[in-house]
Amino acid sequence: MSFSTSMTRLITVLALGSAAALSVQAQEPTTPSTPRADQREARQQARIAQGAASGTLTARETQRLEREQGRINQAEANAKSDGTVTKHERRRLHRMQDAANKDIHHAKHNAKTASAPGN
């Protein structure tokens, strides 16, 4: 086998692989994206986890905030379910996240703290 034959086969394999990847990508259903909502969700989850770890959130507060995040996730999934996130749906998600943000702040800065293990 000569260099040019092996090079030709390599190019053919790469071309077929690229075509297959493009074909798969084209067939995947397009899911509407909500990057700002996703980023806010990640930050809020991190804040809840940090509060639980540091003891500024009690177990009950943590559970309540996690349930609230779950409701936001469900609302986001519902908004995406028809393939389009409308301006109204996006506004609703942002308002829900605004409320969650305030709830996290209030829960982390109130007088309640988690009891230390063993007490």
Side-chain angles (χ1 to χ4, degrees):
M1 184 182 302
S2 70
F3 175 75
S4 63
T5 306
S6 60
M7 185 58 93
T8 304
R9 284 186 181 171
L10 177 62
I11 292 171
T12 304
V13 169
L14 291 175
L16 289 175
S18 297
L22 289 174
S23 170
V24 169
Q25 187 178 27
Q27 291 175 0
E28 290 179 5
T30 56
T31 303
S33 67
T34 51
R36 284 184 56 205
D38 295 337
Q39 290 171 351
R40 284 187 75 180
E41 175 189 345
R43 284 194 304 269
Q44 288 177 348
Q45 284 295 138
R47 289 173 57 212
I48 293 169
Q50 184 277 330
S54 70
T56 57
L57 291 176
T58 65
R60 183 171 289 186
E61 289 171 332
T62 302
Q63 289 173 346
R64 184 179 58 77
L65 294 170
E66 291 288 349
R67 276 195 311 271
E68 185 175 24
Q69 290 298 309
R71 286 190 295 273
I72 294 169
N73 287 338
Q74 185 60 50
E76 184 178 2
N78 290 343
K80 290 179 177 181
S81 67
D82 64 354
T84 305
V85 179
T86 65
K87 183 186 277 189
H88 175 74
E89 290 168 331
R90 203 173 298 274
R91 188 176 303 129
R92 180 172 181 253
L93 287 172
H94 286 297
R95 285 184 182 147
M96 290 177 78
Q97 288 179 323
D98 288 344
N101 182 49
K102 288 179 184 177
D103 292 342
I104 293 167
H105 177 81
H106 289 302
K108 286 181 74 173
H109 294 90
N110 62 14
K112 298 176 188 172
T113 58
S115 60
N119 286 344

Coordinates of all heavy atoms in Angstrom, one line a residue, residues 63-111:
Q63 N -34.5 22.2 52.4 CA -35.5 21.5 51.7 C -36.5 22.4 51.0 O -36.9 22.1 49.9 CB -36.3 20.5 52.7 CG -35.4 19.4 53.2 CD -36.2 18.6 54.3 OE1 -37.1 19.1 54.8 NE2 -35.6 17.4 54.6
R64 N -36.9 23.4 51.7 CA -37.9 24.3 51.1 C -37.3 25.0 49.9 O -38.0 25.1 48.8 CB -38.3 25.4 52.1 CG -39.4 26.3 51.6 CD -39.9 27.3 52.7 NE -38.8 28.2 53.1 CZ -38.2 29.2 52.5 NH1 -38.7 29.5 51.3 NH2 -37.2 29.9 53.0
L65 N -36.1 25.5 50.0 CA -35.4 26.1 48.8 C -35.2 25.2 47.7 O -35.3 25.5 46.5 CB -34.1 26.8 49.3 CG -34.2 27.9 50.3 CD1 -32.8 28.3 50.8 CD2 -34.9 29.1 49.6
E66 N -34.8 23.9 48.0 CA -34.7 22.9 46.9 C -36.0 22.6 46.2 O -36.0 22.4 45.0 CB -34.1 21.6 47.5 CG -32.7 21.7 48.0 CD -31.7 21.8 46.9 OE1 -32.0 21.6 45.7 OE2 -30.5 22.1 47.2
R67 N -37.1 22.6 47.0 CA -38.4 22.4 46.4 C -38.7 23.5 45.4 O -39.3 23.4 44.3 CB -39.5 22.2 47.4 CG -39.6 20.8 48.0 CD -41.0 20.7 48.7 NE -41.2 21.7 49.7 CZ -40.8 21.7 51.0 NH1 -40.1 20.7 51.4 NH2 -41.1 22.7 51.8
E68 N -38.4 24.7 45.9 CA -38.6 25.9 45.0 C -37.8 25.8 43.7 O -38.3 26.1 42.7 CB -38.3 27.2 45.8 CG -38.6 28.5 45.1 CD -38.3 29.7 45.9 OE1 -37.5 29.6 46.9 OE2 -38.9 30.7 45.7
Q69 N -36.6 25.4 43.8 CA -35.8 25.2 42.6 C -36.4 24.1 41.7 O -36.3 24.3 40.5 CB -34.3 24.8 43.0 CG -33.5 26.0 43.6 CD -33.4 27.1 42.7 OE1 -32.9 27.0 41.6 NE2 -33.7 28.3 43.2
G70 N -36.9 23.1 42.3 CA -37.6 22.1 41.5 C -38.8 22.6 40.8 O -39.0 22.2 39.6
R71 N -39.5 23.5 41.4 CA -40.7 24.1 40.7 C -40.2 25.0 39.6 O -40.9 25.0 38.5 CB -41.5 24.9 41.7 CG -42.4 24.1 42.6 CD -43.4 24.9 43.4 NE -42.8 25.8 44.4 CZ -42.4 25.5 45.6 NH1 -42.6 24.3 46.1 NH2 -41.9 26.4 46.4
I72 N -39.1 25.7 39.7 CA -38.6 26.5 38.6 C -38.1 25.6 37.5 O -38.4 25.9 36.3 CB -37.4 27.4 39.1 CG1 -37.9 28.4 40.1 CG2 -36.7 28.0 38.0 CD1 -36.8 29.2 40.9
N73 N -37.5 24.5 37.8 CA -37.0 23.5 36.8 C -38.2 23.0 36.0 O -38.2 22.8 34.8 CB -36.2 22.4 37.4 CG -34.9 22.8 37.9 OD1 -34.3 23.8 37.4 ND2 -34.3 22.0 38.8
Q74 N -39.3 22.7 36.7 CA -40.5 22.1 36.1 C -41.1 23.2 35.2 O -41.5 22.9 34.1 CB -41.5 21.6 37.1 CG -42.7 21.0 36.5 CD -42.3 19.7 35.7 OE1 -41.6 18.9 36.2 NE2 -42.8 19.7 34.5
A75 N -41.2 24.4 35.6 CA -41.7 25.5 34.8 C -40.9 25.7 33.6 O -41.4 25.9 32.5 CB -41.8 26.8 35.6
E76 N -39.5 25.6 33.7 CA -38.7 25.7 32.6 C -38.9 24.6 31.6 O -39.0 24.8 30.3 CB -37.2 25.7 33.0 CG -36.2 25.9 31.9 CD -34.8 26.0 32.4 OE1 -34.5 25.8 33.6 OE2 -33.9 26.2 31.5
A77 N -39.0 23.3 32.1 CA -39.3 22.2 31.2 C -40.6 22.4 30.5 O -40.7 22.0 29.3 CB -39.3 20.9 32.0
N78 N -41.6 22.9 31.2 CA -42.9 23.1 30.6 C -42.8 24.2 29.5 O -43.4 24.0 28.4 CB -44.0 23.5 31.6 CG -44.4 22.4 32.5 OD1 -44.1 21.2 32.3 ND2 -44.9 22.8 33.7
A79 N -42.0 25.2 29.7 CA -41.9 26.3 28.7 C -41.2 25.7 27.5 O -41.5 26.1 26.4 CB -41.1 27.4 29.3
K80 N -40.2 24.8 27.7 CA -39.5 24.3 26.5 C -40.2 23.2 25.8 O -39.9 22.8 24.7 CB -38.2 23.7 27.0 CG -37.2 24.7 27.5 CD -35.9 24.0 28.0 CE -34.8 25.0 28.4 NZ -33.6 24.3 28.8
S81 N -41.3 22.6 26.4 CA -41.9 21.4 25.9 C -42.5 21.6 24.5 O -42.6 20.6 23.7 CB -43.0 21.0 26.9 OG -44.1 21.9 26.9
D82 N -43.0 22.8 24.1 CA -43.6 23.0 22.8 C -42.5 23.4 21.8 O -42.9 23.7 20.6 CB -44.7 24.0 22.9 CG -44.3 25.4 23.3 OD1 -43.1 25.6 23.6 OD2 -45.1 26.3 23.2
G83 N -41.3 23.5 22.2 CA -40.2 23.8 21.2 C -39.9 25.3 21.2 O -38.9 25.7 20.5
T84 N -40.6 26.1 21.9 CA -40.4 27.6 21.9 C -40.6 28.1 23.3 O -41.5 27.8 24.0 CB -41.3 28.3 20.9 OG1 -41.2 27.7 19.7 CG2 -41.0 29.8 20.9
V85 N -39.6 28.9 23.7 CA -39.8 29.6 25.0 C -40.2 31.1 24.6 O -39.4 31.8 24.1 CB -38.5 29.6 25.8 CG1 -38.8 30.4 27.1 CG2 -38.1 28.2 26.1
T86 N -41.5 31.4 24.9 CA -42.0 32.7 24.5 C -41.4 33.8 25.5 O -40.9 33.5 26.6 CB -43.5 32.7 24.6 OG1 -43.9 32.5 25.9 CG2 -44.1 31.7 23.7
K87 N -41.6 35.0 25.1 CA -41.2 36.1 26.0 C -41.9 36.1 27.3 O -41.3 36.3 28.4 CB -41.5 37.5 25.3 CG -41.0 38.7 26.1 CD -41.5 40.0 25.4 CE -40.5 40.4 24.3 NZ -40.7 41.7 23.8
H88 N -43.2 35.7 27.3 CA -44.0 35.6 28.5 C -43.5 34.5 29.4 O -43.3 34.7 30.6 CB -45.5 35.3 28.1 CG -46.4 35.1 29.3 ND1 -46.8 36.1 30.2 CD2 -46.9 34.0 29.8 CE1 -47.5 35.6 31.1 NE2 -47.6 34.3 30.9
E89 N -43.1 33.4 28.8 CA -42.6 32.2 29.6 C -41.2 32.6 30.2 O -41.0 32.3 31.4 CB -42.5 31.0 28.7 CG -43.8 30.4 28.3 CD -43.7 29.3 27.3 OE1 -42.8 29.4 26.4 OE2 -44.6 28.4 27.2
R90 N -40.4 33.3 29.4 CA -39.1 33.7 29.9 C -39.2 34.7 31.0 O -38.5 34.6 32.0 CB -38.3 34.3 28.7 CG -36.8 34.3 28.8 CD -36.2 34.8 27.6 NE -36.4 34.0 26.4 CZ -35.7 32.9 26.1 NH1 -34.7 32.5 26.8 NH2 -36.0 32.2 25.0
R91 N -40.2 35.6 30.9 CA -40.4 36.6 32.0 C -40.8 35.9 33.2 O -40.4 36.2 34.3 CB -41.4 37.6 31.5 CG -41.6 38.8 32.4 CD -42.6 39.8 31.9 NE -42.2 40.3 30.6 CZ -43.0 40.4 29.6 NH1 -44.2 39.9 29.6 NH2 -42.6 40.9 28.4
R92 N -41.7 34.9 33.1 CA -42.2 34.2 34.3 C -41.1 33.4 34.9 O -41.0 33.4 36.2 CB -43.3 33.2 33.8 CG -43.8 32.4 35.0 CD -45.0 31.5 34.6 NE -45.5 30.8 35.7 CZ -45.4 29.5 35.9 NH1 -44.8 28.7 34.9 NH2 -45.8 28.9 36.9
L93 N -40.2 32.8 34.2 CA -39.0 32.1 34.7 C -38.1 33.1 35.5 O -37.7 32.8 36.6 CB -38.2 31.4 33.6 CG -38.9 30.2 33.0 CD1 -38.0 29.7 31.8 CD2 -39.0 29.1 34.1
H94 N -37.9 34.2 34.9 CA -37.0 35.2 35.6 C -37.7 35.7 36.9 O -37.0 35.9 37.9 CB -36.7 36.4 34.7 CG -35.7 36.0 33.6 ND1 -34.4 35.6 33.9 CD2 -35.9 36.0 32.3 CE1 -33.8 35.4 32.8 NE2 -34.6 35.6 31.8
R95 N -39.0 35.9 36.9 CA -39.7 36.3 38.1 C -39.6 35.3 39.2 O -39.4 35.6 40.4 CB -41.1 36.7 37.8 CG -41.3 38.0 37.1 CD -42.7 38.4 36.9 NE -42.8 39.6 36.2 CZ -43.7 40.0 35.3 NH1 -44.7 39.1 35.1 NH2 -43.8 41.1 34.7
M96 N -39.8 34.0 38.8 CA -39.6 32.9 39.7 C -38.2 32.9 40.3 O -38.1 32.6 41.5 CB -40.0 31.6 39.1 CG -41.4 31.4 38.7 SD -41.8 29.8 37.8 CE -41.8 28.7 39.2
Q97 N -37.2 33.1 39.5 CA -35.9 33.1 40.0 C -35.6 34.3 40.8 O -34.8 34.2 41.8 CB -34.9 33.0 38.8 CG -34.9 31.6 38.2 CD -34.0 31.5 37.0 OE1 -33.8 32.5 36.2 NE2 -33.3 30.4 36.8
D98 N -36.2 35.4 40.5 CA -36.0 36.6 41.4 C -36.6 36.3 42.8 O -35.9 36.6 43.8 CB -36.8 37.8 40.8 CG -36.1 38.4 39.6 OD1 -34.9 38.1 39.3 OD2 -36.8 39.1 38.8
A99 N -37.7 35.7 42.8 CA -38.3 35.3 44.1 C -37.4 34.3 44.9 O -37.2 34.4 46.1 CB -39.7 34.8 43.9
A100 N -36.9 33.3 44.2 CA -36.1 32.3 44.8 C -34.8 33.0 45.3 O -34.3 32.6 46.4 CB -35.7 31.2 43.8
N101 N -34.3 33.9 44.6 CA -33.1 34.7 45.0 C -33.3 35.4 46.3 O -32.5 35.3 47.3 CB -32.7 35.7 43.9 CG -31.4 36.4 44.3 OD1 -30.4 35.8 44.7 ND2 -31.5 37.7 44.2
K102 N -34.4 36.0 46.5 CA -34.8 36.7 47.7 C -35.0 35.7 48.8 O -34.5 35.9 50.0 CB -36.1 37.5 47.5 CG -35.8 38.8 46.7 CD -37.1 39.5 46.5 CE -36.9 40.7 45.6 NZ -38.2 41.5 45.3
D103 N -35.6 34.6 48.5 CA -35.9 33.5 49.5 C -34.5 33.0 50.0 O -34.4 32.8 51.3 CB -36.7 32.4 49.0 CG -38.2 32.9 48.7 OD1 -38.6 33.9 49.2 OD2 -38.9 32.2 47.9
I104 N -33.6 32.8 49.2 CA -32.3 32.2 49.6 C -31.6 33.3 50.5 O -31.1 32.9 51.5 CB -31.4 31.9 48.3 CG1 -32.0 30.7 47.5 CG2 -30.0 31.6 48.8 CD1 -31.4 30.5 46.2
H105 N -31.6 34.5 50.0 CA -31.0 35.6 50.8 C -31.6 35.6 52.2 O -30.8 35.7 53.2 CB -31.1 36.9 50.1 CG -30.5 38.0 50.9 ND1 -29.2 38.3 51.0 CD2 -31.1 38.9 51.8 CE1 -28.9 39.3 51.8 NE2 -30.1 39.7 52.3
H106 N -32.9 35.7 52.3 CA -33.6 35.8 53.6 C -33.3 34.6 54.5 O -33.0 34.7 55.7 CB -35.1 36.0 53.5 CG -35.4 37.3 52.9 ND1 -35.1 38.5 53.5 CD2 -36.1 37.7 51.8 CE1 -35.6 39.5 52.8 NE2 -36.2 39.0 51.8
A107 N -33.3 33.4 53.9 CA -33.1 32.2 54.7 C -31.6 32.1 55.2 O -31.4 31.7 56.3 CB -33.4 30.9 53.9
K108 N -30.7 32.6 54.4 CA -29.3 32.5 54.8 C -28.9 33.6 55.8 O -28.0 33.5 56.6 CB -28.3 32.7 53.6 CG -28.3 31.5 52.7 CD -27.3 31.6 51.6 CE -25.9 31.6 52.0 NZ -25.0 31.6 50.9
H109 N -29.7 34.7 55.9 CA -29.4 35.8 56.7 C -30.4 36.0 57.9 O -30.4 37.1 58.5 CB -29.3 37.1 55.9 CG -28.1 37.1 55.0 ND1 -28.3 36.6 53.7 CD2 -26.8 37.4 55.1 CE1 -27.1 36.7 53.1 NE2 -26.2 37.2 53.9
N110 N -31.2 35.0 58.2 CA -32.0 35.1 59.4 C -31.3 34.5 60.6 O -30.1 34.1 60.5 CB -33.4 34.4 59.1 CG -33.2 32.9 58.9 OD1 -32.2 32.3 59.2 ND2 -34.3 32.3 58.4
A111 N -32.0 34.6 61.7 CA -31.3 34.2 63.0 C -31.2 32.6 63.1 O -30.5 32.2 64.0 CB -32.1 34.7 64.1

